[in-house]
Amino acid sequence: MLVKQGVLKEEQAEALIKQANDEAYVAREAAKGATAKADEAAKAANAATAAASPPGTRHVTYVPEVVKRQLREEIKREVMDRAHKENWASPGAYPEWAQRIRFSGDLRARYQGSFFPTGNDQLNAYNFNTINTGSPYDVSLISNPNPAPTYNVTKDRHQPRLRARLGMEADIYNGFSAGLRIATGENSSPVSTNQTLGASGGNFSKYALWLDRGYLKYQAWNNDVAVSIGRFDNPFWSPTDLAWHRDLGFDGIAAQAKYEIAQGITPFAVAGAFPIYNTDFNVGTNLDPATGDVAKFASRDKWLFGGQAGVATRFAPESAFRVAVAYYDFHNVQGRLSGPCFVRSASDLCDTDITRPSFAQKGNTYRSLRDIISEPSNNFGTTNLYQYFGLVGQYRPVVASAQLDLGHFHPVHIVLDGEYIWNSAFDRGLMNAFAVNNRGPDIATNVPGPYNGGNQGWLARVTVGDKVVKRLWDWNVHAGYKYLESDATIDAFVDSDFGLGGTNLKGYFVGGNVGLSDNVWASLRWMSANNIAGVPYAVDVLQVDLNAKF
């Protein structure tokens, strides 16, 4: 305005403005080291600018280009950080907490055929699990001429089956994570999540879901150390299903550790404690007719304690060897003879009834648990002899495991698996004294023969093909032989497919897998098993599966 009015020349006005801008810039630079001086310089610059600029003049502060770029980058970072945290930078994306949750699942449709040859002994194929999980069995032939519950060992079966599982894993913070999984299953069996179609009521009835996993895990030192508590996958390395069913869930607490001491050499160790059976807080009572006393029975909680140590080595880019030795102690699982007990009906209790297994397959050796008092109500020991059965021996198995993976023809591998088990607590004299099953052939004539079970087992298997079938036309085939004596380990927790489950079995198995699409594959298995001890029993099992995983 002053220039237009002729008061100032244009070059004079520009000089005054430049002077004001320069003084303001000097003031800002000085403020970085001395705030007080900067304030004084700013006041001087403002006074000079006011003197040179009449009212209504707009003053624009000069900002160097380098400062503009720095401000732009800082603002951009702040805005993007906030956008990611509040999820308005990517509409439709999950919030941050949801991105730490992962879902997975699988589904398997199966045809299973069970084929029994002639010669199986149906009369003495005792189903101790049915007796021990229901009403006691009257062993008197006078008051109960009906045979004891038995497994089907003579009539072929054809079963369409389904298994569906849905799992969730969540990363929490600072090394903690949690997991849940639900699964199908006809019952609460620990070794099967199969649901036979048409069972559980039939007529298209709905099927039950079970809590199959639920755990909290802590991992540290690059995941070299992990501690799990709750219900989780088998923490022990087990290349075969000789000692443990492949999908068995463990309840309790377990610690795992590994450390690479040299390139390709990694020792590892596992230890844990697992409650098998926790006695009901209101464990049973019985009335003593002689004294009239009513008392609670002592609890007998059952536990599994286990430890394993081994080493994994990689001696070529696609080849490896692993070996481990484990020791397991099944505590308080041995059946115990009761004190003298009045039993006048199936509802009466004795003080060691809770030592019977709460779940079993078949194969282990059993004894009678009740010392029933002979009295007039049972015709002095000839009628109404209601009996439960418990395990004769103790179980402290030692398991040696090894796997050799030869990948010279990668992606085709040759994998050799081997496992050996030995029950270190086995007492053959105890078995001979109390066993009611797993005796020699004379038992068929009601003349008990000697106990002919055992305490060892082994499995050998070779697999050729892709290690994991994940994509179209991936494939592998396998063949092996299994020998597992009656009391090598607890029969409740071993494979449920070979021989239709349990111990006291020997025989071969073959099978294969082929990929039909990404994460979809078909499987075929044939298993032929025979009893090792006791009464004659044999079965061939065919399984044809269609599997999907996501």
Side-chain angles (χ1 to χ4, degrees):
M1 290 177 63
L2 290 175
V3 170
K4 289 180 179 180
Q5 295 173 5
V7 177
L8 291 173
K9 294 182 179 180
E10 185 173 354
E11 58 268 18
Q12 290 176 320
E14 290 177 353
L16 286 173
I17 292 173
K18 183 178 184 302
Q19 178 185 352
N21 286 335
D22 291 342
E23 289 175 351
Y25 179 71
V26 170
R28 287 194 301 273
E29 290 298 313
K32 295 179 181 178
T35 304
K37 292 182 179 180
D39 290 340
E40 294 176 2
K43 291 178 181 179
N46 291 336
T49 303
S53 303
T57 300
R58 175 169 294 182
H59 175 72
V60 180
T61 303
Y62 171 72
V63 179
E65 190 63 31
V66 64
V67 177
K68 293 180 182 178
R69 287 197 300 268
Q70 183 178 356
L71 289 172
R72 282 195 298 267
E73 291 300 322
E74 290 178 355
I75 293 171
K76 181 179 178 181
R77 282 196 298 269
E78 291 177 1
V79 172
M80 292 306 297
D81 287 344
R82 183 175 178 184
H84 284 302
K85 289 181 179 179
E86 298 181 2
N87 198 38
W88 47 269
S90 303
Y94 292 112
E96 185 274 335
W97 62 266
Q99 295 178 21
R100 292 184 281 108
I101 298 176
R102 300 176 302 279
F103 290 91
S104 62
D106 62 85
L107 189 143
R108 182 180 70 199
R110 164 177 289 178
Y111 161 75
Q112 178 168 310
S114 303
F115 307 101
F116 301 98
T118 58
N120 285 351
D121 183 351
Q122 182 65 65
L123 179 64
N124 294 296
Y126 299 126
N127 187 336
F128 290 103
N129 187 61
T130 296
I131 297 172
N132 286 332
T133 57
S135 298
Y137 174 67
D138 182 3
V139 298
S140 168
L141 294 178
I142 297 177
S143 57
N144 181 24
N146 298 317
T150 58
Y151 290 101
N152 168 41
V153 298
T154 55
K155 303 300 182 183
D156 294 348
R157 291 294 309 277
H158 303 275
Q159 297 171 289
R161 315 191 83 180
L162 175 72
R163 184 187 73 181
R165 302 183 296 189
L166 178 63
M168 180 275 291
E169 290 182 314
D171 295 326
I172 306 177
Y173 290 105
N174 300 323
F176 285 95
S177 61
L180 293 170
R181 189 171 78 184
I182 55 175
T184 53
E186 293 178 11
N187 49 50
S188 59
S189 163
V191 292
S192 178
T193 50
N194 289 315
Q195 172 64 58
T196 301
L197 301 180
S200 303
N203 295 316
F204 304 135
S205 300
K206 298 182 180 68
Y207 301 126
L209 288 176
W210 303 84
L211 181 64
D212 190 40
R213 297 290 187 270
Y215 61 86
L216 184 67
K217 178 186 286 188
Y218 174 74
Q219 294 174 289
W221 292 286
N222 294 322
N223 297 333
D224 285 347
V225 174
V227 178
S228 303
I229 186 169
R231 181 175 179 83
F232 41 82
D233 291 341
N234 184 354
F236 302 100
W237 178 65
S238 186
T240 78
D241 52 20
L242 181 71
W244 304 110
H245 176 64
R246 66 179 64 86
D247 292 324
L248 180 67
F250 278 63
D251 299 340
I253 183 170
Q256 300 165 288
K258 61 180 181 178
Y259 183 73
E260 189 174 25
I261 59 175
Q263 185 174 2
I265 302 177
T266 306
F268 62 91
V270 186
F274 315 95
I276 299 174
Y277 178 80
N278 193 271
T279 308
D280 191 300
F281 194 78
N282 192 35
V283 65
T285 60
N286 201 356
L287 178 66
D288 185 340
T291 64
D293 293 337
V294 176
K296 294 293 181 184
F297 297 149
S299 64
R300 298 186 186 275
D301 297 339
K302 302 175 184 180
W303 287 79
L304 165 64
F305 302 100
Q308 183 183 55
V311 62
T313 64
R314 183 166 294 281
F315 54 87
E318 298 295 340
S319 298
F321 176 70
R322 178 179 290 198
V323 63
V325 176
Y327 175 79
Y328 304 104
D329 181 6
F330 290 93
H331 178 71
N332 232 6
V333 298
Q334 184 180 27
R336 301 184 183 183
L337 185 65
S338 72
C341 181
F342 286 97
V343 177
R344 293 167 179 173
S345 70
S347 60
D348 287 330
L349 304 174
C350 295
D351 59 2
T352 62
D353 286 353
I354 56 174
T355 66
R356 70 190 190 274
S358 56
F359 173 79
Q361 296 193 82
K362 59 183 185 297
N364 285 161
T365 304
Y366 286 85
R367 62 166 297 166
S368 301
L369 291 180
R370 294 176 163 187
D371 182 8
I372 300 175
I373 296 175
S374 178
E375 58 164 338
S377 65
N378 57 28
N379 291 315
F380 299 100
T382 59
T383 61
N384 300 325
L385 303 179
Y386 295 100
Q387 192 62 257
Y388 279 127
F389 299 89
L391 299 174
V392 177
Q394 302 183 64
Y395 294 84
R396 289 191 287 271
V398 177
V399 181
S401 309
Q403 182 181 80
L404 177 61
D405 179 3
L406 302 174
H408 301 295
F409 307 102
H410 184 77
V412 174
H413 286 242
I414 300 174
V415 181
L416 304 175
D417 295 310
E419 206 153 30
Y420 172 78
I421 187 169
W422 169 64
N423 181 10
S424 63
F426 181 75
D427 184 340
R428 185 169 294 273
L430 192 67
M431 297 292 182
N432 267 317
F434 296 105
V436 297
N437 63 322
N438 292 332
R439 290 189 173 272
D442 289 343
I443 195 172
T445 62
N446 292 324
V447 178
Y451 168 80
N452 62 354
N455 67 323
Q456 301 181 65
W458 59 272
L459 187 150
R461 179 179 62 201
V462 58
T463 304
V464 178
D466 295 286
K467 292 182 64 177
V468 180
V469 176
K470 296 174 61 177
R471 299 177 179 85
L472 177 65
W473 305 131
D474 284 356
W475 64 276
N476 60 43
V477 294
H478 67 268
Y481 190 87
K482 181 176 183 178
Y483 184 93
L484 185 61
E485 293 181 328
S486 60
D487 297 287
T489 187
I490 299 287
D491 64 28
F493 307 123
V494 302
D495 180 32
S496 61
D497 295 325
F498 185 78
L500 298 180
T503 62
N504 195 29
L505 295 166
K506 63 179 179 180
Y508 69 90
F509 53 91
V510 295
N513 304 276
V514 61
L516 304 179
S517 176
D518 286 358
N519 296 318
V520 179
W521 70 99
S523 303
L524 176 70
R525 284 207 300 169
W526 175 267
M527 295 164 283
S528 182
N530 294 268
N531 255 17
I532 298 174
V535 299
Y537 169 74
V539 62
D540 296 324
V541 177
L542 172 65
Q543 293 178 339
V544 181
D545 298 341
L546 179 61
N547 308 272
K549 186 177 182 180
F550 58 91

